[in-house]
Amino acid sequence: MAGNSAPIAAIELVGVSKSFGAVTAVQNLDLVINDGEFFSMLGPSGSGKTTVLRIIAGFEPATSGTVLLAGQDVTSKAPFDRDVNTVFQDYALFPHMTVLENVAYGLRVRGIGKSERNLQALEALRMVRLEGFEDRKPSELSGGQRQRVALARAVVVKPKVLLLDEPLGALDLKLREQMQIELKELQRKLGITFIFVTHDQEEALTLSDRVAVFNQGRIEQIGTPRQLYERPESEFVARFVGTSNIFSESEAASLLAQPEACSVRPEKIEMRPSSQSQKDASVLPGKIIESIYIGSATRLIIEIDGGKKISVLRQASAGSETNFDRGQQVFIEIRNADLVPIKK
Amino acid sequence: MRLSRTSKWILGVVTIVTLAIIYLPLSVVLVNSFNTSKNMAWPPPGLTLDWWQKASNSSGLMAALSTSVMVALGATAIALVLGTLLSMALARYKFFGKQAVSLLVVLPIALPGIVTGIALNNAFRTVLGWNLSIVTIMVAHATFCIVTVYNNVMARLTRMHPNLEEASADLGAGLWTTFRLVTFPQLGSALFAGGLLAFALSFDEIVVTTFTAGSGVQTLPIWILENMFRPNQAPVVNVVAVVLVVVSVIPIYFAQRLAGSEQRR
């Protein structure tokens, strides 16, 4: 832990565990989320990320451990006594209320007068670019619009921390990309902490200051998007964040002359015309067994001698383009510097 | 699905016959309420408004009607409050004995009325030492009226996403505020439907009522039963029947419209 002079963390989880009957959803989790940070919790479904979010929000009591909010112990506090707000996966808009009433709800239950709360709600709607929709019912809105109402409703009460539970999951790709940009802008404008749950690694990398990768109720690795992508510490992270070629300890020893298991990204692998060996690199002969054209790049699957399949990404570059065909004999070069050692 | 000409024809006839069996006797009652013949001779020798006038002047009838309405309102009110609380508990929380409770709650509607009647009669008089009155009828009716409210509200709560209540709590609302502003408005039509059924169940209940009504307390069904075979009163009973049919059409119409508007939403 940092010394006393360190700023108070927005959220701190200490030894938090959660079991549902015999199933352990979260195991002895320690996590510090800094003030003003865009923090993502990334993992496959069932990895415990949403449970952690619900524990922070107060919807689920932790089986053990402590939850600190801005340094205050809130472990036993109800959701309505916590200064965090949630944007739900399915938005959870109140169907019997208009858009304006939905957004003003948090202010209403705080006893703020009608004219004042409507003024603030309209301001929040303007911020998410939904002015003119205030008299509609949620059922009369599109998915993207509902998403914005849910955002406005959560931020209008000015929480210190905003929790977002896969908020873009239900949107189509184009809209999702647009909302990603808007979310990022909103977070900068508000300057509050965002905790974002997603199973989409690209989304997590694009949006976040830091990402925690969840697997089976534990955090595998926490880091900046660059750290996670460039230096994945475990096989799980290497595989889940982007695509990786994994060499087991024995493969690393025989093929790459490395002492431990390691991973390498497909785009870091070079194609060579001959087996001429390079300094601080391994050159391996192989055969192209699959060549997939994806526009800006070509993904190749190369089976190297001994049967191991390697994924290679060839970026299209200016000037002439070499064709790679199935069945072609090639050499691949992997530089030692691009190898990332991984723990088991 | 396309139906052949013959099957359309057969189904049409079956429908008409079924509806006729249900509604023709009711229309006979309607006509008889204007029948000049006291023994309801058919076809009616003539038409008169005498019975309608007699009915409106019958103090016994009016008293019985008002007793029935009060009992039904009371039983419905008890059922609405307890049935809602019960379904909230069973839909939203886990606790020991939950399955047993949900079974025990629904059981009274399946119990023979005579069993419920005798049991409650004993319990009220000997165990609790109460005098039988209009209140005992309300409590007795509430035991099975709860079921209709419970079933309706339960169905609504299980369809309603618990996220809504979480969102409300998340935005700072306490338990009661959440119920008042979020849960209750969602339950509106379920409570109306459940309450309507409860009212109807109580209004025409006769077996349990016989055992739990105090002396001098007469509900409408009991009044009808007692007067039906008195030659002077029988035509008046027809008038009551017609009024009841008309009165029951109104809430059913509204319930249907409500259900329709919810499906469209």
Side-chain angles (χ1 to χ4, degrees), chain A residues 107-327:
Chain A
L107 303 169
R108 180 179 175 189
V109 301
R110 280 167 177 74
I112 292 169
K114 190 162 191 170
S115 57
E116 172 61 23
R117 69 180 188 241
N118 283 356
L119 217 65
Q120 292 187 33
L122 281 172
E123 176 58 36
L125 281 172
R126 223 184 331 271
M127 192 171 61
V128 296
R129 288 188 266 138
L130 268 185
E131 56 260 86
F133 288 83
E134 52 270 13
D135 293 329
R136 301 229 192 150
K137 286 282 176 69
S139 57
E140 297 166 327
L141 299 179
S142 71
Q145 290 165 341
R146 284 180 207 180
Q147 171 66 71
R148 292 201 179 107
V149 175
L151 267 172
R153 184 178 69 173
V155 300
V156 79
V157 292
K158 302 189 169 58
K160 293 198 188 96
V161 177
L162 189 68
L163 308 174
L164 303 108
D165 184 10
E166 307 221 14
L168 310 182
L171 306 179
D172 62 54
L173 184 66
K174 268 273 176 291
L175 198 55
R176 199 155 72 215
E177 286 171 350
Q178 188 194 333
M179 284 304 297
Q180 286 174 4
I181 297 167
E182 288 187 21
L183 269 183
K184 191 76 191 166
E185 279 175 5
L186 188 69
Q187 194 252 346
R188 273 201 210 101
K189 204 155 35 174
L190 296 170
I192 62 174
T193 312
F194 273 37
I195 303 180
F196 188 86
V197 163
T198 181
H199 62 261
D200 182 336
Q201 48 97 14
E202 208 175 305
E203 198 165 89
L205 296 188
T206 317
L207 290 171
S208 320
D209 297 318
R210 285 196 308 151
V211 181
V213 182
F214 279 72
N215 182 30
Q216 295 178 348
R218 297 171 190 276
I219 293 179
E220 288 266 338
Q221 189 176 352
I222 301 183
T224 63
R226 182 174 290 273
Q227 284 167 346
L228 286 181
Y229 192 81
E230 304 280 345
R231 312 301 297 175
E233 284 169 4
S234 67
E235 181 176 341
F236 179 82
V237 176
R239 284 190 192 282
F240 195 76
V241 180
T243 313
S244 279
N245 295 295
I246 309 281
F247 293 88
S248 68
E249 204 176 316
S250 60
E251 288 168 342
S254 63
L255 296 169
L256 309 169
Q258 293 292 315
E260 54 192 333
C262 50
S263 73
V264 62
R265 296 292 182 188
E267 67 273 19
K268 304 274 185 177
I269 300 175
E270 289 283 359
M271 308 288 286
R272 288 284 168 226
S274 72
S275 64
Q276 188 185 359
S277 77
Q278 307 283 319
K279 196 169 177 292
D280 294 328
S282 312
V283 177
L284 304 167
K287 187 173 80 174
I288 299 176
I289 59 169
E290 200 63 76
S291 171
I292 304 153
Y293 178 69
I294 47 175
S296 62
T298 305
R299 182 174 292 285
L300 303 170
I301 309 292
I302 294 165
E303 188 177 290
I304 54 173
D305 296 357
K308 187 172 175 60
K309 295 187 179 73
I310 306 280
S311 173
V312 177
L313 194 70
R314 298 284 304 159
Q315 288 295 332
S317 53
S320 67
E321 187 55 53
T322 333
N323 272 327
F324 294 100
D325 298 318
R326 269 172 40 161

Side-chain angles (χ1 to χ4, degrees), chain A residues 54 57 59 79-80 84-86 88 90 92-97 105-106 108-110 153-154, chain B residues 161 163-175 177-178 180-183 185-186 265:
Chain A
R54 292 176 59 81
F59 300 138
F80 47 82
V84 299
N85 284 103
T86 310
F88 291 85
D90 56 0
L93 300 179
F94 306 126
H96 57 292
M97 297 185 195
Y105 186 83
R108 180 179 175 189
V109 301
R110 280 167 177 74
R153 184 178 69 173
Chain B
H161 208 293
N163 259 3
L164 291 183
E165 283 151 13
E166 285 181 353
S168 170
D170 189 65
L171 290 162
L175 286 176
T177 311
T178 295
R180 193 166 56 89
L181 296 179
V182 175
T183 317
Q186 300 291 309
R265 201 165 60 175

